[in-house]
Amino acid sequence: MAAVESTSMSLMQSEEPLKLSDLLDRGWKLYEEVDTTNDPIAATHIQVKIKRGITQLEVATRMVAQLDLFSRNEDLEEVATTDLKYLMLPAFLGALTLKQVNLAKRLDHVQIARCYFLDFLKRCKEYNISKFELPKTIENSSDIPEEESANGPPKPPDLIAMATVRAAKIERYKHRKDTEAKLSEIKAAVDSGQADDEIVRNFYLLNVRKWIAVSLEEIESIDQEIEILTRMDVLKQSSAEPLHSKRPPMKPFILTRDAVQARVFGAGYPSLPTMSVDDWYEQHRKKNALPDQGIPRSAEDFDAEEREQEEKEKRVENDDEEALQKARDWDNWKDTHRRGYGNRKNMG
């Protein structure tokens, strides 16, 4: 794109200052060349033409504003025939702006193009050139979803409104085709310079009406693209945020039939845990107080137990009175007491 901009600027600097009519005619011609070409729109020479056309049409727009060719206080009949074609300047600018290829600036391009098309439609509405409804502004259209979301779930689509929009599109398409057919009939006479003032005026008005239909269709497409691009930016920003964050330990809960039972019976145990298992393990590891659960004992521990057991067996075999009496007492006690007798440690 930098090469495109430098090339277009060097071309503009090398050219001599052009008249207003020449600027419009050249910009119009560049648009038609770009619109009818079979080359890829992203090709460098095509982008050079697009940039050159935008530059020339912007200069023409500033000249029209300085000359004050159009006024809200005049009717269409008061506009000179030679000035009618300058009504299409914003439409050409919008169409060329949409053809720029730069993904990083795509949202800016479609928003600028929408402003151009809307400005063209407003001027045509002021002169009452054709009957149509102006599209909503971006601010008004963006407020509608917020109001719907605040009031509740979105309403089902209005079938009558959808049918009305569809019928309007079909009517606009037919009108555009009729206009293009009439333009093809008189274009040759206008280009040859043999047409009278009435034919030339009709030629420019037909072009304006054609671009009214094009602008309405482009704005509908632009609104859909703006919504998609905006959501893509939101997704990119959300994906850039860190996904994993340290969460506090979850509190245990007990399932009950209803809220009243939960308040009466509580959680079912004296108190809730204040730390997770990982936190408890880390705390005891720092204090070197970890239990030896699951840690296999050394061979020395097993040898000590075996030696103690062997000594007991030897004392019994050697008729050690003390060991024999202790063993008899233990057997008698087990006969008269069931297993677990006297153990109240784990009974609450």
Side-chain angles (χ1 to χ4, degrees):
M1 291 304 296
V4 173
E5 295 179 1
S6 60
T7 305
S8 61
M9 291 302 296
S10 61
L11 289 172
M12 288 301 298
Q13 290 174 359
S14 62
E15 295 176 353
E16 296 179 358
L18 298 174
K19 297 180 181 179
L20 176 58
S21 59
D22 294 335
L23 287 170
L24 175 63
D25 293 341
R26 292 193 178 190
W28 193 344
K29 183 179 179 181
L30 285 172
Y31 166 75
E32 290 180 345
E33 291 178 359
V34 171
D35 190 52
T36 57
T37 184
N38 294 325
D39 296 335
I41 194 67
T44 304
H45 66 283
I46 298 297
Q47 290 297 310
V48 168
K49 288 184 178 181
I50 293 172
K51 190 64 180 179
R52 186 190 306 164
I54 291 175
T55 304
Q56 292 177 351
L57 293 174
E58 286 176 347
V59 175
T61 302
R62 288 192 290 268
M63 294 176 67
V64 169
Q66 292 174 358
L67 295 173
D68 199 13
L69 293 181
F70 305 107
S71 174
R72 297 180 179 180
N73 300 324
E74 63 181 0
D75 296 331
L76 182 62
E77 292 76 11
E78 300 178 17
V79 180
T81 301
T82 55
D83 295 342
L84 284 175
K85 59 183 179 180
Y86 300 117
L87 287 171
M88 295 181 287
L89 275 172
F92 289 139
L93 279 169
L96 285 175
T97 302
L98 283 180
K99 293 184 180 297
Q100 293 185 96
V101 178
N102 189 342
L103 295 178
K105 297 182 179 180
R106 183 59 185 174
L107 182 58
D108 295 335
H109 288 164
V110 294
Q111 290 175 341
I112 293 172
R114 193 185 195 279
C115 293
Y116 281 135
F117 286 128
L118 190 60
D119 180 67
F120 166 72
L121 292 174
K122 287 180 179 178
R123 183 57 58 88
C124 294
K125 190 74 172 179
E126 292 172 357
Y127 281 110
N128 198 19
I129 297 177
S130 181
K131 292 183 179 180
F132 63 91
E133 292 184 3
L134 285 174
K136 296 180 180 180
T137 59
I138 297 179
E139 290 77 9
N140 294 338
S141 61
S142 62
D143 291 342
I144 294 176
E146 295 179 359
E147 294 176 359
E148 291 181 352
S149 60
N151 296 334
K155 299 180 181 179
D158 189 354
L159 298 180
I160 298 178
M162 294 174 63
T164 304
V165 172
R166 182 175 180 274
K169 288 183 178 180
I170 295 174
E171 184 65 24
R172 196 162 60 230
Y173 176 78
K174 292 180 179 179
H175 182 70
R176 178 180 174 181
K177 288 300 180 182
D178 294 340
T179 302
E180 290 176 352
K182 293 178 182 179
L183 282 172
S184 61
E185 295 176 359
I186 62 177
K187 187 177 186 302
V190 175
D191 292 341
S192 64
Q194 299 177 358
D196 56 13
D197 184 76
E198 183 178 355
I199 295 178
V200 174
R201 188 177 186 86
N202 188 31
F203 174 76
Y204 289 141
L205 287 176
L206 287 174
N207 272 290
V208 171
R209 293 189 178 99
K210 168 193 168 184
W211 275 102
I212 289 175
V214 172
S215 299
L216 291 173
E217 294 175 0
E218 291 293 353
I219 287 181
E220 290 180 0
S221 300
I222 287 173
D223 289 341
Q224 296 176 3
E225 187 172 356
I226 288 176
E227 183 179 357
I228 294 173
L229 293 173
T230 304
R231 292 183 178 180
M232 289 176 61
D233 289 342
V234 173
L235 291 176
K236 289 180 181 178
Q237 294 175 2
S238 61
S239 61
E241 297 177 357
L243 299 177
H244 302 285
S245 58
K246 189 176 181 180
R247 295 179 297 177
M250 295 180 62
K251 294 183 178 180
F253 58 92
I254 183 172
L255 297 177
T256 57
R257 292 181 180 273
D258 49 29
V260 176
Q261 185 181 7
R263 288 197 298 268
V264 172
F265 293 102
Y269 33 82
S271 61
L272 299 178
T274 58
M275 65 178 66
S276 64
V277 176
D278 294 336
D279 294 337
W280 179 89
Y281 183 87
E282 185 66 20
Q283 180 179 347
H284 282 68
R285 185 186 65 80
K286 292 179 179 179
K287 296 180 179 179
N288 294 323
L290 286 175
D292 58 351
Q293 263 189 335
I295 302 176
R297 291 180 292 178
S298 61
E300 297 179 357
D301 297 335
F302 287 107
D303 293 340
E305 290 183 0
E306 290 179 359
R307 286 196 297 271
E308 184 179 355
Q309 187 67 23
E310 290 177 357
E311 291 178 358
K312 289 181 180 180
E313 292 176 357
K314 287 180 180 180
R315 285 198 296 266
V316 173
E317 291 175 358
N318 296 331
D319 297 332
D320 187 352
E321 295 182 1
E322 183 179 355
L324 289 172
Q325 186 62 35
K326 188 175 182 180
R328 292 191 188 100
D329 294 341
W330 176 241
D331 292 336
N332 294 335
W333 192 87
K334 287 193 295 182
D335 292 339
T336 57
H337 297 80
R338 61 183 177 84
R339 182 179 177 83
Y341 177 82
N343 181 14
R344 311 214 23 109
K345 183 178 181 181
N346 298 324
M347 296 186 65

